[in-house]
Amino acid sequence: MHSNKRYRALIVDDSEMNREILKEILADELDITEVDNGEDACEYMINHSGEINIVILDLVMPGMDGFEVLRFMKYKHLSDTLPVIMISADSDENNIEKAFDLGVIDFLSRPFSERIVIRRVMTTIRLFRRQKELVDELDRQYKADDMRIDDLTGLDYKQTFYNKVYTHLRGNPNDRLLMIAIDVDHFKLFNSYYGWESGDRYLKFIAKYLKEFTQRFGGIAGYLGGDDFALLAPYKRQELLTFGNMVWKSPELSNYEVGFAPKVGIYEIQDPLEAVGSIYDHAKIALENIKDDYTKKISWYNHSMLQNVRDEFELLVDIKRGMAENEFIFFVQPKVNMHTGRIVGGEALVRWNHKEKGLVSPGVFIPVLEKNGFISQIDKLVWREVAAWLKSRIDDGHRPIPVSINVSRADIFTMDVTDYLEELVNEYEIPRELLEVEITESAFVEEENRIKEELNRLRRTGFTVLMDDFGSGYSSLNTLKDLAIDILKIDMKFLRMDVTNMNKGVSILESVVNMARALHIPTIVEGVETEEQVDFLTKMGCIFAQGFYFYRPMPVDEFERLISEEEKVDFKGIFISDLEPVHVREFLDENLFSDVVVNNILGAVAFYEVEDDGTIRLIRMNKQYSKLIGREFVGEDEENEELLTDAIRPQNYDRFQDMFSAAYMSPLTGTEDILRFTRSDGEEILLHIRLFFLRKRPDVRVYYASIDRIS
Ligand code: C2E
Ligand code: MG
Ligand code: MG
């Protein structure tokens, strides 16, 4: 049957003539929308994805090119519903292959044959629709299966939940009701921390409490898949809070790190006729507002939140204008050798020189750009400016020092970072050692493999890679040894070294610095603000720093003046300190392992003592360690002692014993081995153990072990 509805094509091409030609060819069969650049195409697709049936995309365009539009579509999951045909005059096979990899359905090269173009476009639309129908049908069957009650949680699944809420709202239009969205922070990470089984248990536990709530107070609970729950609840503020606190303090929850606590967003239903999906969205917006903020568990919806979403859009529009008007520049903050005070390099930090607002700092616009997948626009611009500046320095006959640029996680998913940087250094003919790359630590937490892959590519291509903001996220030192990075940047602010927990901060810093040294990774400490900090950092053996104490970020010309005095510059750059390892100060005496941060930074670690007669004793382990070896973590008591001693025995005990003398002999590098181990549940596993000698005490030597499982 021929339907009356015509399909709509979005034509994206910077050349007006090309658009005209295509329109001419296609206008009989299709409605047409046209845009002349990649940015507008993205914006249009986001706002009108349901109205178009195909995208016909030019490869070569100024600004965002075809590849980038494709990456954006992938990132925003637009490619799932929208087929793309790529057009280009060149039939370079690499490009074609790359385009197909990015999800293009077909490729047309200019000049076109009119009849073929029509056929291919129409066929693509129909095939894609047919395929989508099939997928939808499968989806429907699948959904019908667990339409009513979800197996795992025993709660109503989305559609049933929505239906019940709908009926309830119509039946009780005068009740004061709340919609509550619940999800678990970092749930993906939770699964990789504790395993899927624990993940399932955790979801069941939330479901149990929701059911209990509805039994006690009324309301309807539902499971929306993943880690998303929803609750329609009567407006009883006090009961709600009391109940919430009970859940948050429950024994089930206390097994896990606080970073994984469930969070709730609450929306008071204003209009019982509002669509249930939209009601839930309001609750979800409230929830999103406190995501990644450890200090908040509950968020009530208010209108400013929706306003925030609108503000964001306006900001994006303003950024686009700012880019066109060259308002984005970069400042440089020097990195120094603390011993000599000399400058060893710089970091380029973007600034928005806004025509009305003056200098705007990246904290205001970078997060918005990252969230929306537009960050690479600005980054490419800044990196290019940096490359051009390096080139101009070389051309002017100066001896250059390296400057690092910042790459955000979203860049890696929306553009080809390595390719682009390589193009830049080639185009500007600068040695690639001069353009260093900073990637922030939190990037390594999710989708680890994709990031690792990019990291390796960057290094193979000859770029120096710095891990930025170490200590901010969940990476452990164990991760560090698997990641091919060149330099580690530790940020003081993540150690929260205020007066009250100075000691703890220092201990963490020491262990990180020691471990990095053992792994032969040079470090820079960032955010150094005071003389005291410089003092203890140098005592600890740190050499390199970046911070307001030395220099603030400064305009490029100021930086040029600074480094033109060559005695202020140290061309040796950043290297590994070959000082003796510092002894971890009273490591064991501070109640270090009660701290979430330490647990996360260090990974699975334990301390061993070896007596002069060779007796080995496990004296401390953190949760991750006890989990790996399958022993429960017990607090400090006598039972613990036996448990700890008992928990060290791998099958190859002799080899384990040998490790201790080997570690003692090489205090800088430590030693490592792979040993078989029987967990308390009887399972045999292979453990990769690294062992470092820490210090000598009367009659005993103290060692530090980190383990990970390899089977
Ligand atoms: P970052 O890469 O960790 O950069 C260091 C930040 O710490 C800079 O903030 C710098 O001004 C600040 N800082 C340096 N020393 C001190 C100190 O002693 N005390 C304190 N309190 N702060 C200090 P800025 O320039 O506001 O940049 C913030 C973040 O924005 C950067 O953190 C980076 O993640 C991001 N960023 C900056 N430029 C770019 C860029 O071109 N592209 C991308 N993707 N991100 C950028
Ligand atoms: Mg940085
Ligand atoms: Mg940093």
Side-chain angles (χ1 to χ4, degrees):
M1 272 286 291
H2 194 273
S3 100
N4 289 333
K5 186 179 173 301
R6 278 161 57 102
Y7 296 127
R8 178 173 289 277
L10 174 67
I11 298 179
V12 188
D13 198 319
D14 57 312
S15 140
E16 190 180 348
M17 194 181 75
N18 288 339
R19 291 198 307 273
E20 286 305 320
I21 295 175
L22 274 170
K23 258 199 329 209
E24 186 73 14
I25 299 177
L26 295 172
D28 283 346
E29 300 280 342
L30 293 168
D31 292 336
I32 309 274
T33 300
E34 50 181 314
V35 293
D36 64 3
N37 65 74
E39 290 82 355
D40 286 349
C42 293
E43 206 175 304
Y44 188 84
M45 285 188 283
I46 284 290
N47 294 321
H48 304 86
S49 66
E51 298 160 28
I52 31 182
N53 305 90
I54 192 162
V55 179
I56 302 175
L57 180 64
D58 185 19
L59 173 59
V60 186
M61 292 182 289
M64 245 178 142
D65 67 15
F67 288 138
E68 284 163 307
V69 174
L70 286 171
R71 286 203 193 85
F72 176 85
M73 289 181 70
K74 248 185 141 162
Y75 187 74
K76 288 284 182 191
H77 301 289
L78 289 163
S79 336
D80 304 345
T81 49
L82 258 180
V84 181
I85 293 185
M86 188 83 127
I87 36 174
S88 162
D90 99 57
S91 48
D92 173 356
E93 283 190 12
N94 283 334
N95 277 344
I96 298 182
E97 205 180 315
K98 199 162 152 190
F100 280 120
D101 283 346
L102 285 168
V104 157
I105 304 275
D106 203 352
F107 205 91
L108 294 172
S109 47
R110 276 194 286 266
F112 314 118
S113 139
E114 186 169 325
R115 279 162 50 206
I116 301 249
V117 169
I118 296 182
R119 287 262 160 81
R120 281 181 153 178
V121 169
M122 297 313 287
T123 311
T124 303
I125 295 179
R126 288 194 187 110
L127 280 179
F128 201 83
R129 283 184 66 88
R130 180 74 196 118
Q131 184 195 344
K132 216 181 143 322
E133 276 163 23
L134 286 172
V135 171
D136 287 352
E137 179 53 32
L138 280 176
D139 232 31
R140 256 198 303 282
Q141 281 174 14
Y142 171 75
K143 273 203 187 112
D145 287 342
D146 51 8
M147 172 92 166
R148 291 197 56 80
I149 305 269
D150 178 68
D151 276 348
L152 177 67
T153 62
L155 295 179
D156 285 322
Y157 207 64
K158 186 169 178 171
Q159 204 49 52
T160 317
F161 171 72
Y162 275 18
N163 291 345
K164 284 191 182 169
V165 171
Y166 178 88
T167 316
H168 187 94
L169 291 177
R170 298 298 134 113
N172 307 273
N174 299 320
D175 282 6
R176 230 178 142 184
L177 291 164
L178 302 172
M179 175 61 84
I180 305 180
I182 301 145
D183 94 1
V184 184
D185 245 9
H186 311 292
F187 190 64
K188 251 197 199 156
L189 196 62
F190 183 98
N191 281 322
S192 64
Y193 253 60
Y194 299 110
W196 290 102
E197 276 171 30
S198 300
D200 284 356
R201 224 176 303 134
Y202 195 98
L203 296 180
K204 277 188 194 154
F205 142 74
I206 294 180
K208 182 186 100 184
Y209 275 99
L210 290 181
K211 260 179 272 176
E212 194 182 320
F213 181 92
T214 54
Q215 279 155 12
R216 273 168 66 177
F217 305 112
I220 304 167
Y223 176 56
L224 309 187
D227 61 340
D228 289 321
F229 292 86
L231 179 67
L232 178 78
Y235 190 101
K236 289 181 179 163
R237 213 171 168 124
Q238 201 43 50
E239 281 93 331
L240 215 63
L241 286 178
T242 318
F243 188 81
N245 280 327
M246 194 181 101
V247 177
W248 277 303
K249 294 211 177 80
S250 68
E252 286 100 329
L253 255 187
S254 65
N255 287 332
Y256 308 109
E257 307 290 4
V258 293
F260 297 119
K263 294 221 166 138
V264 301
I266 308 180
Y267 172 60
E268 185 181 352
I269 298 173
Q270 312 289 328
D271 171 9
L273 297 178
E274 191 181 348
V276 180
S278 150
I279 291 177
Y280 173 74
D281 283 347
H282 281 98
K284 188 81 183 176
I285 287 178
L287 180 68
E288 295 289 335
N289 227 42
I290 51 165
K291 270 231 150 150
D292 302 320
D293 181 346
Y294 292 94
T295 60
K296 301 206 174 80
K297 292 184 291 216
I298 303 177
S299 158
W300 287 76
Y301 176 86
N302 63 46
H303 284 300
S304 71
M305 291 175 180
L306 196 62
Q307 189 57 42
N308 287 345
V309 176
R310 294 203 186 105
D311 287 350
E312 244 174 44
F313 188 75
E314 266 160 39
L315 183 62
L316 284 175
V317 174
D318 199 24
I319 287 172
K320 207 170 143 191
R321 180 202 54 77
M323 280 171 64
E325 293 171 24
N326 293 325
E327 290 181 353
F328 289 91
I329 55 169
F330 69 94
F331 273 26
V332 184
Q333 186 179 29
K335 297 171 181 160
V336 301
N337 179 324
M338 285 189 281
H339 292 297
T340 60
R342 289 181 157 195
I343 298 167
V344 293
E347 171 174 12
L349 295 158
V350 67
R351 294 289 179 270
W352 184 1
N353 197 2
H354 197 281
K355 66 174 177 197
E356 283 148 20
K357 299 177 191 152
L359 273 189
V360 182
S361 80
V364 178
F365 55 94
I366 296 260
V368 178
L369 288 169
E370 282 180 332
K371 200 169 114 197
N372 292 282
F374 282 113
I375 182 73
S376 61
Q377 306 287 104
I378 295 271
D379 275 344
K380 280 193 287 191
L381 214 128
V382 173
W383 305 343
R384 177 168 289 275
E385 285 174 25
V386 174
W389 175 73
L390 283 167
K391 165 79 171 153
S392 75
R393 293 290 294 171
I394 298 171
D395 285 352
D396 292 348
H398 297 289
R399 194 171 163 194
I401 52 172
V403 170
S404 56
I405 46 125
N406 286 282
V407 168
S408 103
R409 172 195 139 77
D411 285 325
I412 293 173
F413 293 97
T414 54
M415 65 175 287
D416 193 325
V417 175
T418 308
D419 264 13
Y420 189 81
L421 290 178
E422 201 184 0
E423 267 168 49
L424 272 187
V425 292
N426 289 339
E427 184 181 334
Y428 288 97
E429 299 170 306
I430 45 178
R432 47 199 70 188
E433 310 83 78
L434 288 183
L435 195 66
E436 298 183 335
V437 182
E438 298 196 6
I439 302 180
T440 175
E441 185 225 76
S442 56
F444 297 96
V445 176
E446 279 173 57
E447 312 211 43
E448 197 184 337
N449 287 335
R450 178 70 195 85
I451 309 263
K452 269 190 193 168
E453 189 191 311
E454 195 64 39
L455 207 74
N456 288 330
R457 276 184 66 212
L458 278 166
R459 295 188 75 223
R460 271 202 309 276
T461 317
F463 290 103
T464 302
V465 178
L466 291 80
M467 187 195 267
D468 203 355
D469 303 332
F470 191 79
S472 65
Y474 286 93
S475 289
S476 67
L477 279 183
N478 281 346
T479 329
L480 200 57
K481 75 179 192 316
D482 299 329
L483 286 174
I485 57 155
D486 297 290
I487 296 173
L488 181 68
K489 283 186 98 172
I490 307 165
D491 198 322
M492 301 273 307
K493 78 169 169 283
F494 298 121
L495 303 175
R496 300 206 184 77
M497 288 200 188
D498 50 42
V499 201
T500 53
N501 48 16
M502 191 64 150
N503 278 335
K504 193 172 278 174
V506 172
S507 299
I508 297 172
L509 194 63
E510 274 179 354
S511 56
V512 174
V513 168
N514 278 343
M515 186 65 122
R517 191 177 298 148
L519 295 168
H520 289 281
I521 303 172
T523 48
I524 307 176
V525 184
E526 201 176 2
V528 177
E529 290 181 351
T530 65
E531 191 165 347
E532 295 87 76
Q533 290 176 335
V534 174
D535 199 45
F536 77 67
L537 285 171
T538 40
K539 282 208 185 98
M540 204 179 283
C542 299
I543 307 178
F544 302 101
Q546 178 182 341
F548 294 172
Y549 177 76
F550 299 100
Y551 300 100
R552 286 179 177 260
M554 57 184 83
V556 174
D557 52 353
E558 203 174 307
F559 184 65
E560 282 177 359
R561 277 198 295 281
L562 190 64
I563 55 175
S564 66
E565 303 167 50
E566 288 215 347
E567 71 280 1
K568 285 205 172 147
V569 182
D570 180 350
F571 294 97
K572 273 208 308 297
I574 291 167
F575 49 85
I576 306 171
S577 134
D578 51 5
L579 298 169
E580 273 288 291
V582 250
H583 293 304
V584 180
R585 271 206 308 156
E586 303 313 321
F587 219 144
L588 310 171
D589 304 333
E590 291 173 25
N591 197 12
L592 219 54
F593 289 106
S594 59
D595 194 275
V596 182
V597 180
V598 182
N599 270 318
N600 288 325
I601 292 186
L602 298 180
V605 295
F607 290 89
Y608 285 93
E609 258 177 25
V610 181
E611 285 177 23
D612 284 348
D613 68 3
T615 313
I616 304 172
R617 241 190 329 226
L618 174 59
I619 51 170
R620 272 283 173 101
M621 60 179 168
N622 67 355
K623 276 193 193 172
Q624 278 97 324
Y625 198 95
S626 71
K627 205 185 204 52
L628 267 185
I629 62 175
R631 314 277 158 154
E632 275 296 308
F633 182 74
V634 185
E636 279 165 88
D637 55 29
E638 273 151 37
E639 241 178 279
N640 213 18
E641 175 128 334
E642 196 179 308
L643 174 106
L644 289 175
T645 309
D646 173 57
I648 56 170
R649 291 217 171 245
Q651 266 79 334
N652 346 56
Y653 191 61
D654 294 347
R655 260 172 51 202
F656 188 49
Q657 252 177 335
D658 291 344
M659 287 182 73
F660 286 89
S661 31
Y664 184 63
M665 297 310 288
S666 31
L668 266 180
T669 52
T671 185
E672 60 188 312
D673 202 349
I674 290 170
L675 299 179
R676 204 167 280 286
F677 187 89
T678 311
R679 289 161 51 94
S680 58
D681 57 11
E683 190 190 356
E684 282 222 346
I685 55 173
L686 279 181
L687 286 182
H688 178 199
I689 305 183
R690 288 176 154 257
L691 194 67
F692 299 90
F693 168 66
L694 277 179
R695 62 176 169 156
K696 224 172 143 88
R697 288 208 308 221
D699 305 327
V700 289
R701 291 174 188 167
V702 183
Y703 293 82
Y704 167 93
S706 75
I707 57 170
D708 48 316
R709 180 178 172 158
I710 56 175
S711 75

